[in-house]
Amino acid sequence: EDWRSRNKVQIFQYVVLKWALALLIGLATGLVGFFNNLAVENIAGFKLLLTSNFMLKHRYHEAFVVYAGCNLILAAATAALCAYVAPAAAGSGIPEVKAYLNGVDAHSILAPSTLFVKIFGSIGGVAAGLMVGKEGPMVHTGSCIASFLGQGGSRRYHLTWKWLRYFKNDRDRRDLITCGAAAGVAAAFRAPVGGVLFALEEVASWWRSALLWRTFFTTAVVAVVLRGLIGFCRSGRCGLFGQGGLIMFDLSATVATYGTPDLVAVVVIGAIGGLLGSFYNFSVDKILRNYSVINERGAPFKILLTVTISLLTSCCSYGLPWLAKCTPCPPGSQCPTIGRSGNFKSFQCPPNHYNDLASLFLNTNDDAIRNLFSGGTEDEFYISSLLIFFAASFSLGIVTYGIAIPSGLFIPVIMAGASYGRLLGTLLGPLSKLDKGLFSLLGAASFLGGTMRMTVSVCVILLELTNDLLMLPLVMLVLLVSKTVADCFNKGIYDQIVKMKGFPYLECHPAPYMRNLDAGDAVSGPLITLAGVEKVANIVYTLKLTGHNGFPVIDEPPFSEEPGLCGLVLRSHLLVLLKGKQFTKERVSTGAGHVLQRFGAFDFAKAGSGKGVQLEDLDIDDEEMEMFVDLHPITNRSPYTVVESMPLSKAAVLFRDLGLRHLCVVPKTPGRHPIVGILTRHDFMPEHILGLFPHLKHRRPHMSV
Amino acid sequence: EDWRSRNKVQIFQYVVLKWALALLIGLATGLVGFFNNLAVENIAGFKLLLTSNFMLKHRYHEAFVVYAGCNLILAAATAALCAYVAPAAAGSGIPEVKAYLNGVDAHSILAPSTLFVKIFGSIGGVAAGLMVGKEGPMVHTGSCIASFLGQGGSRRYHLTWKWLRYFKNDRDRRDLITCGAAAGVAAAFRAPVGGVLFALEEVASWWRSALLWRTFFTTAVVAVVLRGLIGFCRSGRCGLFGQGGLIMFDLSATVATYGTPDLVAVVVIGAIGGLLGSFYNFSVDKILRNYSVINERGAPFKILLTVTISLLTSCCSYGLPWLAKCTPCPPGSQCPTIGRSGNFKSFQCPPNHYNDLASLFLNTNDDAIRNLFSGGTEDEFYISSLLIFFAASFSLGIVTYGIAIPSGLFIPVIMAGASYGRLLGTLLGPLSKLDKGLFSLLGAASFLGGTMRMTVSVCVILLELTNDLLMLPLVMLVLLVSKTVADCFNKGIYDQIVKMKGFPYLECHPAPYMRNLDAGDAVSGPLITLAGVEKVANIVYTLKLTGHNGFPVIDEPPFSEEPGLCGLVLRSHLLVLLKGKQFTKERVSTGAGHVLQRFGAFDFAKAGSGKGVQLEDLDIDDEEMEMFVDLHPITNRSPYTVVESMPLSKAAVLFRDLGLRHLCVVPKTPGRHPIVGILTRHDFMPEHILGLFPHLKHRRPHMSV
């Protein structure tokens, strides 16, 4: 509606700003992504160096104390930060962003405090050696940055800029946050195309072609920033930064020819990976429900839980490598590697021997994955070591998600999947001659397909990580098989978490039972309407009484011949209007001119989170309460409507596809009250509908397609 | 609506069939793509061998006669095939597929005869040395294959299979054809991810996440098929097939480090490429309008035009290389190359010399592009040669599109762009040290961005062609610059062609002037309604009188208290109902049971093109004409409706986003006739609206964003 009043200069400002914001989001996300890696590599590097120095002196107990102590302190600090400053920063963040882009305005999801905790909490959690990744948090961070920039910072810091008023609406905000999410993936994996596809496949609920272009621009900026900074670090000016920290492999040396037996092996990997992936989802769901009981008891319990998991992880990482035999070093490579990273960790072994389990456990997660993916290293790992590492990473991944720290799911899943793939590749050795590193990659793909249920974006991300397009068909195949198998059991992990968190997420397809209900059936609660010219006291009373965000406005005589639906008015607009105090003594229609004298077009724009006028801000005296105000100028005169007899499924499609927040239900036959009710997002939720019609619960739902 | 009546077995059949069809589409498109390349390489190879044999004997006139004669015969045969068998097969085909997926059911776009002509016409046109590509035709071919398979072949051949009835609706058909279009790109460029993105960015109007997955599966199948067949041909069993014919380059040897001067050079390339690209679009548009006058005069004129262009092309290809100087061969490479392809053509030159222009002109288009893209060949081409080739390919590309043969636009644009890029790279030599092959790639990208206005898919296609992800940021940058520049002047070439062909294409965003109109304003023509229980004669008369595809059904007394909108009935459903002849003597409501006795749920499913019941198929005698039929069972009782006072732009969003074909406009105030009119696709077209309200034409439209 604002568009009509915009002139050319304003449109130019808008277009320039849109692209400038996309650029800024890319720059900022790229910088944060680089800073995150730099910090993790240096903190974790320092910790591992300290530990290995003690071990070289055979002071094993002190080494463990130092190692576990560092982990503990980092984990506890992170949990404290998260619990006290921004509880919304815990977890992956992808489900929250997904819900936001679906239209759920949950409080504090994208607040500046969440951004702060997410950045530093993610560094702390990953540096503490916990089985968590930085990808989910990076997506959330990118989205928070986008939201922060789009709002012109927080109002507290007086950063609101006049141009930014154009972005005070749902659509432009969602567009920015989609760009931010894509930038996050691009920064985490250095995968610009993968980031765009991830935003498209997993995060966004509505998509336009123009958005594809802008998202792509943002991720390209991220890629350029990262490339420049890593080039700067190659010269050794970044401390322990080492190989870049951002996992990036080069498998192009390995062979990419394959025959039928190889394809069979790939299908087997995909099928088992799908099974294990859906089991992973199932377990995470169970664990999360138990943890939420603990976490609800308060911040100290959150910290206690995190400390427990940290201790458990330290014990596993330090204890399990003792089970592995020492292996003589292969000739011709630097072995054992002294220092922080590298394929061959010495651990307790004599000179010229290495401990293969320690190479996986006593490393940063990125380096462990790089070791698993490395090609041309057929015999580096024992089957027993791979089995132990797989079991440990699988279980630790499950128990770690849900503690009160920012924790991504990609890396744990990739680690478990890569060790599983390498294990299966070793077992399938007689069948297939593919490289073990490639098996590892396929295993990781099968786990990602089995848990996240994304195919195209995971495939492209893996391709961008490995920089080899020739294995595309194999990765595609394994993803298709694992997703198909896993879809038979449960939903993707992000969908599970969205549901568990209770976000009113609108699915793409309406549930089958909605076909048997009418739109009128789903309307519930008392209908509250306002008159076209309403008494101020009535409005205030209505706003106090209910938390509804939209009210139908009914024109009644003398303003119309018979009662008719005038339109829909929003709570936020009512509050702005009341604050303006343009009241009249008599019940007269003042018209739009009267209101436009007092307000600009942007006064009614949607404010940022927590920035709008609140009911408590109003200061209306008793005399004013008895006066009248004309609601016509702020009423949406043509809301989308459906007839009460329309199947609920059709109404749901309308609601979802157009991204509505309120849908008016009008009577089928004339002569009745002009509106039956209003459908909102919550009215389409299964809990609501099955609560109204419990008999539908017992009918077996149709298979989804 | 069918879903409610489906049981588990039917759903299982549906899901299995959906995936089986995706597999089949992938297989068939891959095979056709390979066959296409094989045929082109062998025919063109034979032609070029013959010509160069004459040239080696210095019989230059005979060489020209053979060369031009072969081209002429191939071109004339193709034009004849196209003009007499399937005129719809001329041109790229991408605009047609795009329009179909937008909801335009244009006749014969996807007919089997079109498929046949498209395959063989594309081979003939490319082999004839015309400046056309096989990419657009491959997309059309893939879509035709999808349509053909989805309909179970043509009814003529009695191939209709019972299971396929599930696909007799718009949505499933569109899904299949989207898969087919993606498979076409994947087959043309061996770019599976690029194919998916192309379908998403350029072709499809509606997109769902599930479709992403299925499309990806189809393109993966194409990639596997092509890989297998090319592996088979490597062993030399495919005649003159040579290097694979499918352009695929490997630039990974060239350096991919760049600094600020390189970026400046890239921006310059992008900006000029955008200018030239928009000029290309402008010229193609002008030429097409002139050609359409010629082509409308009949098949012989079509053939004559094609023959003229073929002669012109032959003269250019054979004549222009005489302008080039002979260059001594660089040491260490096979030069001049004897035979069909290769970097160094001997032409008229003495031994150990080559003619650089002949290397570009007297080759298949794929080989010319490969020569231009080749890295590490700094001084292979003179500036003058590049200039001549650029001018020739640019102008030939413009004059060739629009003649009556299947002609893709990608290859001409890539050729002109690659020579432009190499030319500019040579000129910018002092500024930038990037490889000339890379410049060539960037030039091609800038032209593609400037004409097609696709960014993400072109970028990914180019990456998949060159198999080097490290130059991603440069390609992105050049695409962004060229698209931005070109968007200032005109629309993308496919959008232009869609508009010129007069398809009623629904844009994603409603035009700005629609905000100032109401839905009721756009309703035009006499409103024709049917009663809930209607006389047969009336229905037949209505169907004869108008070509409308939907009619509102009004319930009148005695079936309701006062006239009310019952719903919407489709022409095709009326025809099926009339054919069933379940008439009654009296005006009574018979109910749904009566109709379901006679018809199955699938009798009303949407038939394939040209397969539904026609008005002429009805055989109703005079007695039956006076009887009645109950329309309630076949009426859609809850069509989407809008109030007449809703802004037309909002109605357009509803219409477009939900993919409707009819939208009922109801009165704002009660007590009037229950329906104001019906909006269809044509009512949203600018021509229609500006015809009704000519004053809107003179107002300057808002800038689009």
Side-chain angles (χ1 to χ4, degrees):
Chain A
E1 208 170 346
D2 291 333
W3 268 102
R4 239 186 289 193
S5 55
R6 287 194 195 172
N7 59 31
K8 268 189 176 176
V9 175
Q10 288 177 320
I11 291 171
F12 176 76
Q13 287 181 341
Y14 173 73
V15 173
V16 167
L17 202 62
K18 225 164 45 169
W19 285 95
L21 279 175
L23 177 75
L24 282 177
I25 292 168
L27 282 177
T29 311
L31 284 174
V32 168
F34 177 74
F35 171 70
N36 186 319
N37 277 291
L38 190 68
V40 166
E41 292 284 308
N42 275 297
I43 297 173
F46 178 75
K47 177 187 79 183
L48 291 170
L49 263 184
L50 216 62
T51 311
S52 63
N53 284 343
F54 276 108
M55 294 205 68
L56 281 176
K57 296 176 199 150
H58 300 284
R59 291 158 70 179
Y60 297 121
H61 289 98
E62 282 157 282
F64 176 70
V65 170
V66 165
Y67 179 72
C70 286
N71 284 349
L72 197 74
I73 291 166
L74 284 167
T78 305
L81 191 68
C82 202
Y84 287 109
V85 180
S92 157
I94 293 177
E96 281 86 352
V97 175
K98 199 174 164 174
Y100 182 88
L101 291 177
N102 189 261
V104 180
D105 274 359
H107 187 61
S108 80
I109 282 181
L110 301 171
S113 61
T114 310
L115 171 62
F116 174 80
V117 174
K118 205 89 195 185
I119 295 175
F120 290 96
S122 171
I123 293 172
V126 176
L130 289 165
M131 188 63 80
V132 296
K134 55 184 180 259
E135 290 66 31
M138 269 314 295
V139 171
H140 196 169
T141 302
S143 308
C144 286
I145 289 174
S147 165
F148 185 79
L149 290 174
Q151 293 187 24
S154 190
R155 194 167 56 166
R156 259 186 265 171
Y157 311 109
H158 300 287
L159 280 167
T160 311
W161 188 32
K162 209 173 131 204
W163 282 26
L164 287 170
R165 59 192 178 175
Y166 302 118
F167 292 88
K168 290 192 174 171
N169 63 67
D170 280 334
R171 211 188 73 170
D172 285 320
R173 254 179 223 158
R174 275 183 208 146
D175 285 2
L176 285 180
I177 285 161
T178 308
C179 284
V185 174
F189 290 111
R190 289 177 67 183
V193 181
V196 173
L197 284 172
F198 177 84
L200 169 62
E201 187 174 10
E202 184 63 31
V203 186
S205 291
W206 295 280
W207 192 265
R208 294 168 299 121
S209 196
L211 196 52
L212 194 68
W213 189 25
R214 202 124 36 86
T215 319
F216 195 46
F217 173 70
T218 314
T219 59
V221 172
V222 172
V224 170
V225 168
L226 283 179
R227 204 184 156 88
L229 290 173
I230 289 168
F232 174 79
C233 276
R234 283 268 154 74
S235 50
R237 276 170 286 188
C238 302
L240 298 167
F241 188 65
Q243 293 223 33
L246 302 142
I247 38 174
M248 193 155 201
F249 320 97
D250 202 343
L251 287 173
S252 47
T254 64
V255 200
T257 53
Y258 40 86
T260 316
D262 300 320
L263 290 181
V264 173
V266 167
V267 170
V268 170
I269 287 189
I272 304 181
L275 281 176
L276 289 171
S278 63
F279 179 69
Y280 194 93
N281 287 7
F282 172 79
S283 315
V284 166
D285 196 52
K286 284 270 167 284
I287 287 280
L288 275 179
R289 284 173 200 280
N290 289 320
Y291 279 5
S292 67
V293 177
I294 302 176
N295 285 336
E296 271 165 18
R297 297 179 67 180
F301 285 88
K302 288 183 180 177
I303 299 173
L304 201 66
L305 181 63
T306 308
V307 165
T308 314
I309 299 293
S310 170
L311 275 177
L312 182 68
T313 310
S314 297
C315 290
C316 283
S317 313
Y318 192 84
L320 290 175
W322 294 98
L323 299 176
K325 278 186 297 188
C326 289
T327 319
C329 279
S333 56
Q334 200 214 349
C335 168
T337 40
I338 308 298
R340 193 177 52 78
S341 70
N343 265 8
F344 305 106
K345 284 262 170 180
S346 155
F347 208 62
Q348 91 288 18
C349 294
N352 281 322
H353 285 68
Y354 71 95
N355 181 321
D356 60 344
L357 256 181
S359 310
L360 299 175
F361 273 120
L362 278 185
N363 248 335
T364 58
N365 295 341
D366 288 353
D367 283 327
I369 294 174
R370 198 179 283 121
N371 288 349
L372 283 169
F373 278 13
S374 65
T377 50
E378 300 297 305
D379 306 316
E380 187 181 332
F381 300 102
Y382 289 107
I383 291 187
S384 59
S385 303
L386 287 172
L387 196 61
I388 291 171
F389 186 71
F390 168 64
S393 56
F394 192 83
S395 350
L396 282 177
I398 291 170
V399 297
T400 307
Y401 191 81
I403 63 174
I405 60 164
S407 46
L409 278 162
F410 266 97
I411 292 289
V413 168
I414 291 180
M415 278 177 95
S419 50
Y420 149 77
R422 215 175 166 101
L423 179 64
L424 213 65
T426 313
L427 294 176
L428 291 173
L431 180 63
S432 166
K433 293 283 163 237
L434 291 179
D435 188 272
K436 297 289 168 292
L438 185 52
F439 265 119
S440 200
L441 179 77
L442 293 174
S446 75
F447 258 53
L448 287 172
T451 52
M452 322 251 160
R453 313 292 161 83
M454 295 177 286
T455 48
V456 185
S457 49
V458 163
C459 184
V460 172
I461 288 173
L462 287 176
L463 287 178
E464 289 191 279
L465 284 179
T466 53
N467 197 17
D468 188 6
L469 289 163
L470 297 176
M471 66 178 97
L472 182 67
L474 288 185
V475 177
M476 277 174 150
L477 184 64
V478 85
L479 279 168
L480 287 169
V481 172
S482 68
K483 180 176 153 78
T484 310
V485 168
D487 271 346
C488 298
F489 298 101
N490 47 28
K491 291 211 284 183
I493 196 155
Y494 294 129
D495 288 326
Q496 270 189 2
I497 297 173
V498 163
K499 200 171 170 205
M500 220 201 58
K501 292 215 167 190
F503 293 127
Y505 189 87
L506 283 177
E507 297 289 342
C508 189
H509 295 290
Y513 56 77
M514 288 194 189
R515 289 165 209 276
N516 303 319
L517 293 174
D518 287 345
D521 298 338
V523 171
S524 64
L527 176 67
I528 297 163
T529 61
L530 297 171
V533 178
E534 184 62 273
K535 209 182 200 178
V536 173
N538 276 356
I539 300 175
V540 173
Y541 176 73
T542 305
L543 292 178
K544 270 195 189 136
L545 187 72
T546 75
H548 293 186
N549 283 312
F551 302 93
V553 176
I554 307 294
D555 264 336
E556 277 167 0
F559 298 105
S560 70
E561 280 177 39
E562 48 183 315
L565 178 65
C566 169
L568 193 77
V569 68
L570 296 182
R571 165 182 284 261
S572 59
H573 291 183
L574 281 176
L575 286 167
V576 173
L577 190 73
L578 290 182
K579 195 144 195 240
K581 295 198 176 183
Q582 293 290 88
F583 306 142
T584 50
K585 286 250 154 76
E586 303 301 317
R587 190 185 280 272
V588 289
S589 178
T590 53
H594 192 65
V595 170
L596 286 180
Q597 274 179 358
R598 174 71 183 76
F599 299 101
F602 288 101
D603 287 330
F604 291 104
K606 189 172 177 180
S609 57
K611 285 190 195 168
V613 179
Q614 298 299 312
L615 192 54
E616 297 77 44
D617 302 343
L618 295 182
D619 178 30
I620 298 176
D621 57 34
D622 287 350
E623 192 186 342
E624 284 168 336
M625 279 292 193
E626 294 304 309
M627 293 168 80
F628 292 89
V629 62
D630 186 2
L631 299 182
H632 290 101
I634 62 164
T635 300
N636 171 4
R637 299 288 197 108
S638 54
Y640 287 110
T641 55
V642 295
V643 176
E644 58 181 336
S645 63
M646 177 179 279
L648 189 59
S649 55
K650 272 181 93 167
V653 168
L654 176 72
F655 194 87
R656 169 69 166 72
D657 285 1
L658 296 182
L660 304 181
R661 293 195 182 274
H662 304 94
L663 180 59
C664 299
V665 181
V666 295
K668 173 86 176 167
T669 49
R672 286 165 46 195
H673 189 264
I675 185 158
V676 175
I678 286 191
L679 289 175
T680 64
R681 171 177 292 271
H682 290 276
D683 296 319
F684 291 102
M685 290 298 120
E687 302 81 41
H688 171 79
I689 295 170
L690 295 178
L692 289 176
F693 303 94
H695 65 280
L696 292 171
K697 224 179 285 186
H698 307 297
R699 294 175 59 177
R700 187 78 203 281
H702 283 74
M703 234 173 92
S704 72
V705 278
Chain B
E1 207 168 348
D2 291 332
W3 268 102
R4 240 187 286 195
S5 55
R6 286 195 194 171
N7 58 30
K8 268 189 174 174
V9 175
Q10 288 176 321
I11 291 171
F12 176 75
Q13 287 180 342
Y14 174 73
V15 173
V16 166
L17 202 60
K18 225 163 45 168
W19 285 96
L21 279 174
L23 177 74
L24 281 177
I25 292 168
L27 281 177
T29 311
L31 284 173
V32 169
F34 176 74
F35 170 70
N36 187 320
N37 277 291
L38 190 67
V40 166
E41 292 284 307
N42 274 297
I43 297 172
F46 177 76
K47 178 188 78 182
L48 291 170
L49 263 184
L50 215 61
T51 312
S52 62
N53 284 344
F54 276 107
M55 293 207 68
L56 282 176
K57 295 176 201 150
H58 300 286
R59 293 158 70 180
Y60 298 122
H61 289 99
E62 283 157 281
F64 176 70
V65 170
V66 165
Y67 178 72
C70 286
N71 284 347
L72 196 74
I73 292 166
L74 283 167
T78 304
L81 192 67
C82 201
Y84 288 108
V85 179
S92 157
I94 293 178
E96 282 86 353
V97 175
K98 200 175 162 172
Y100 182 88
L101 291 178
N102 190 260
V104 181
D105 275 359
H107 187 61
S108 79
I109 282 181
L110 301 171
S113 62
T114 310
L115 171 62
F116 173 80
V117 174
K118 204 90 197 185
I119 295 175
F120 290 96
S122 172
I123 293 171
V126 177
L130 289 165
M131 190 61 81
V132 295
K134 54 183 183 258
E135 290 65 30
M138 269 313 297
V139 171
H140 198 169
T141 303
S143 308
C144 287
I145 290 175
S147 166
F148 185 80
L149 289 174
Q151 292 186 26
S154 190
R155 196 168 54 166
R156 262 185 263 172
Y157 310 108
H158 299 289
L159 279 166
T160 311
W161 186 33
K162 209 173 132 203
W163 282 26
L164 286 171
R165 59 190 178 178
Y166 302 119
F167 292 88
K168 291 190 175 172
N169 63 70
D170 279 334
R171 209 186 74 169
D172 284 321
R173 253 178 223 159
R174 276 184 209 145
D175 285 1
L176 285 179
I177 284 159
T178 309
C179 284
V185 174
F189 290 112
R190 288 176 68 184
V193 182
V196 173
L197 284 172
F198 178 83
L200 168 63
E201 189 175 9
E202 185 61 32
V203 186
S205 290
W206 294 280
W207 193 265
R208 294 169 297 120
S209 195
L211 196 53
L212 195 68
W213 189 26
R214 200 121 39 87
T215 318
F216 195 46
F217 172 70
T218 315
T219 59
V221 171
V222 172
V224 171
V225 168
L226 283 179
R227 203 184 157 89
L229 290 172
I230 289 169
F232 173 79
C233 277
R234 284 267 155 74
S235 50
R237 276 170 285 189
C238 302
L240 297 169
F241 188 66
Q243 292 224 32
L246 302 143
I247 39 173
M248 193 155 200
F249 320 97
D250 203 341
L251 286 173
S252 47
T254 66
V255 200
T257 54
Y258 42 85
T260 316
D262 300 321
L263 290 180
V264 173
V266 167
V267 170
V268 170
I269 288 189
I272 304 180
L275 281 175
L276 289 171
S278 63
F279 179 69
Y280 193 94
N281 287 8
F282 172 80
S283 315
V284 165
D285 196 53
K286 285 271 166 283
I287 287 278
L288 274 179
R289 285 174 199 281
N290 289 322
Y291 280 5
S292 67
V293 178
I294 303 176
N295 285 337
E296 270 164 18
R297 298 178 68 180
F301 285 87
K302 286 184 180 177
I303 298 171
L304 201 66
L305 181 63
T306 308
V307 164
T308 315
I309 299 294
S310 169
L311 275 176
L312 181 68
T313 309
S314 297
C315 291
C316 282
S317 314
Y318 192 84
L320 291 175
W322 293 97
L323 299 176
K325 279 186 297 189
C326 289
T327 319
C329 281
S333 55
Q334 199 213 350
C335 166
T337 39
I338 308 297
R340 192 178 53 78
S341 71
N343 266 8
F344 305 104
K345 283 262 170 180
S346 155
F347 206 63
Q348 91 287 19
C349 294
N352 282 323
H353 285 66
Y354 71 95
N355 181 320
D356 59 343
L357 256 182
S359 309
L360 297 175
F361 273 120
L362 278 185
N363 247 334
T364 59
N365 295 341
D366 288 352
D367 283 328
I369 294 176
R370 198 179 285 123
N371 287 349
L372 284 170
F373 278 13
S374 65
T377 51
E378 300 297 305
D379 306 316
E380 187 181 332
F381 300 102
Y382 290 108
I383 291 187
S384 60
S385 302
L386 287 172
L387 195 61
I388 292 170
F389 186 72
F390 168 65
S393 56
F394 192 83
S395 352
L396 282 178
I398 289 170
V399 298
T400 307
Y401 192 82
I403 62 175
I405 60 164
S407 46
L409 278 163
F410 267 97
I411 292 290
V413 169
I414 290 179
M415 277 176 96
S419 50
Y420 148 76
R422 217 176 163 101
L423 179 64
L424 214 66
T426 314
L427 294 175
L428 290 174
L431 180 64
S432 167
K433 294 283 164 234
L434 291 178
D435 189 272
K436 296 290 169 293
L438 185 54
F439 265 119
S440 200
L441 179 76
L442 293 174
S446 76
F447 259 52
L448 287 172
T451 52
M452 322 249 159
R453 314 291 161 85
M454 294 177 286
T455 49
V456 186
S457 48
V458 164
C459 184
V460 173
I461 288 172
L462 287 176
L463 288 178
E464 289 190 279
L465 284 178
T466 52
N467 197 18
D468 187 6
L469 289 163
L470 297 176
M471 65 178 97
L472 183 66
L474 288 184
V475 177
M476 278 175 152
L477 184 64
V478 86
L479 279 168
L480 288 169
V481 172
S482 68
K483 179 176 153 80
T484 310
V485 168
D487 271 345
C488 298
F489 298 100
N490 47 27
K491 292 211 283 182
I493 196 155
Y494 295 128
D495 288 325
Q496 270 188 3
I497 298 173
V498 162
K499 198 170 172 207
M500 220 201 58
K501 292 216 165 189
F503 293 128
Y505 188 87
L506 283 178
E507 297 290 341
C508 189
H509 294 289
Y513 56 75
M514 288 193 189
R515 290 165 209 276
N516 303 318
L517 293 173
D518 287 344
D521 298 338
V523 171
S524 65
L527 176 68
I528 297 163
T529 61
L530 296 171
V533 178
E534 185 62 272
K535 209 182 201 179
V536 173
N538 277 353
I539 299 175
V540 173
Y541 176 74
T542 305
L543 292 177
K544 270 194 189 135
L545 188 72
T546 76
H548 292 186
N549 283 313
F551 302 92
V553 176
I554 307 292
D555 264 335
E556 277 167 0
F559 298 106
S560 69
E561 280 176 38
E562 47 185 315
L565 177 65
C566 170
L568 194 77
V569 68
L570 296 180
R571 166 182 281 263
S572 58
H573 291 184
L574 280 175
L575 286 166
V576 174
L577 190 72
L578 290 181
K579 192 140 201 245
K581 295 198 176 185
Q582 294 288 89
F583 306 143
T584 50
K585 286 250 154 80
E586 305 299 319
R587 188 185 282 273
V588 288
S589 178
T590 52
H594 193 66
V595 170
L596 286 180
Q597 273 178 1
R598 174 69 183 75
F599 297 103
F602 287 101
D603 286 330
F604 290 105
K606 189 171 177 179
S609 58
K611 286 189 191 168
V613 179
Q614 299 298 312
L615 192 54
E616 297 78 45
D617 301 344
L618 293 182
D619 178 29
I620 299 177
D621 58 32
D622 287 350
E623 191 186 342
E624 285 168 337
M625 279 292 193
E626 295 302 310
M627 292 169 80
F628 292 89
V629 63
D630 186 0
L631 298 183
H632 289 103
I634 62 162
T635 301
N636 172 5
R637 299 289 196 107
S638 53
Y640 288 110
T641 56
V642 294
V643 176
E644 57 180 339
S645 64
M646 178 179 279
L648 190 59
S649 56
K650 272 182 94 168
V653 168
L654 176 71
F655 194 87
R656 169 68 167 72
D657 285 1
L658 296 182
L660 303 182
R661 291 193 183 275
H662 304 94
L663 179 60
C664 298
V665 181
V666 295
K668 172 86 177 168
T669 49
R672 287 164 46 196
H673 190 265
I675 185 158
V676 174
I678 286 190
L679 290 175
T680 65
R681 170 176 294 270
H682 290 276
D683 295 320
F684 291 103
M685 290 299 118
E687 303 81 42
H688 172 80
I689 295 170
L690 296 177
L692 289 176
F693 303 95
H695 65 280
L696 291 172
K697 224 180 285 186
H698 306 297
R699 294 175 58 178
R700 185 79 202 281
H702 282 73
M703 235 174 92
S704 73
V705 280

